[in-house]
DNA sequence: ATTTATGCAAATCATTTGCACATAG
DNA sequence: CTATGTGCAAATGATTTGCATAAAT
């Protein structure tokens, strides 16, 4: 297994994920980082996000219908996305280990992970509608 | 609201979703339909799949990391995808209405839907590994 | 006759990859 | 020195869209 190196880019990407607590997309992270380090490329951002989530330093949130998000908070938890403003929020639902156990019969399937994303309308957007 | 028309393409697409019970992708459906109706275009398939799922005649399964799937079975249910062979199966988990209720505090969020996809290794692929 | 649908190609969006060059170990 | 990382642009994969034409009501 190849070993990973410490680079300015990687440090910056990790730090930016820690600072942006709004579940940013790769694109949003890239734009934010480019304010301080204008030459960083999208490819580098994607590559490092992948690597950082593989080693568990950040969390990769796979969104079903839009760009994936990244999270500084790496404990198991779920998310809810507002269909109007597209923002993603954490959800207080401490049943991560319970969910897979709810399956009645998994036909010999070895379950490794599960992705659960809620969707709806956030409080702010409910207000705006009126 | 505009009204929808009956076309040979739409009928074929709906019928093919009913017949292919393996949660096909739009691409797979398109290829299958082209055996009988070679001139059908991918765009027509996508457009009709969208329309048919909007009116509830088929189910659109949004996959987090790969092409979406389509399902003839429209009742609320969940899916599990094998990371090896990429096949998608139904999961016996009759708690659809329970899941959203498990959220402790949704901060004024109006939950409309939720997507839950399990991932792992299916029985066949477990066997093949040995 | 009017409006929705089709087929094609081009566009879009998110992400990945090839490659030459740079740099960390 | 050598393997990993970077930046760029091009490639990929899934899906959508513009447009002229066709078909349904």
């Amino acid at each position: 297994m190849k070993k990973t190196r410490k680079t300015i880019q990687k440090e910056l990407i990790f730090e930016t994920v820690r600072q942006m607590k709004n579940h940013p997309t790769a694109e949003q992270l890239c734009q934010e980082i480019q304010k301080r380090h204008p030459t960083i490329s999208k490819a580098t951002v994607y590559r490092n996000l992948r690597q950082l989530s593989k080693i568990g330093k950040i969390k990769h949130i796979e969104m079903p219908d839009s760009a994936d998000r990244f999270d500084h908070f790496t404990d198991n938890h779920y998310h809810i996305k507002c269909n109007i403003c597209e923002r993603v929020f954490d959800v207080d639902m401490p049943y991560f280990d319970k969910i897979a156990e709810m399956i009645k019969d998994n036909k010999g399937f070895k379950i490794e992970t599960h992705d659960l994303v809620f969707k709806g309308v956030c409080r702010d957007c409910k207000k705006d509608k009126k």
Side-chain angles (χ1 to χ4, degrees), chain A:
Chain A
M1 37 218 73
K2 51 201 140 4
K3 52 192 54 165
T4 152
R5 283 176 190 180
K6 180 187 239 184
T7 64
I8 321 162
Q9 289 86 343
K10 193 177 298 180
E11 300 278 285
L12 265 168
I13 291 161
F14 180 52
E15 266 316 303
T16 309
V17 174
R18 301 196 78 160
Q19 281 159 27
M20 294 182 78
K21 312 209 174 190
N22 312 332
H23 307 92
T25 62
E27 181 66 43
Q28 290 167 339
L29 283 161
C30 192
Q31 284 178 19
E32 183 62 29
I33 295 163
Q34 283 174 340
K35 291 180 187 169
R36 288 192 280 163
H37 193 294
T39 55
I40 201 169
S41 79
K42 204 172 283 193
T44 297
V45 173
Y46 273 101
R47 273 186 289 237
N48 279 298
L49 288 172
R50 187 145 34 95
Q51 190 181 102
L52 289 165
S53 43
K54 190 178 239 171
I55 61 177
K57 296 193 78 179
I58 64 174
K59 190 177 184 65
H60 180 184
I61 314 165
E62 296 189 341
M63 301 300 288
D65 55 355
S66 47
D68 290 357
R69 309 297 186 115
F70 296 88
D71 201 334
H72 63 108
F73 178 49
T74 54
D75 292 1
N76 281 338
H77 66 289
Y78 300 113
H79 297 92
I80 186 161
K81 180 182 166 196
C82 176
N83 286 327
I84 312 292
C85 64
E86 303 267 295
R87 286 185 297 172
V88 170
F89 303 87
D90 287 334
V91 148
D92 183 12
M93 181 167 161
Y95 302 114
F96 206 94
D97 297 325
K98 295 278 174 295
I99 296 284
E101 291 169 17
M102 294 168 78
I103 294 187
K104 290 293 181 194
D105 172 18
N106 60 14
K107 292 155 190 143
F109 224 104
K110 184 178 147 242
I111 297 171
E112 289 171 345
T113 57
H114 65 271
D115 293 330
L116 171 56
V117 175
F118 296 91
K119 292 180 196 163
V121 183
C122 74
R123 196 173 40 184
D124 295 349
C125 290
K126 267 199 297 191
K127 256 185 283 176
D128 295 350
K129 275 194 185 167
K130 292 158 192 169

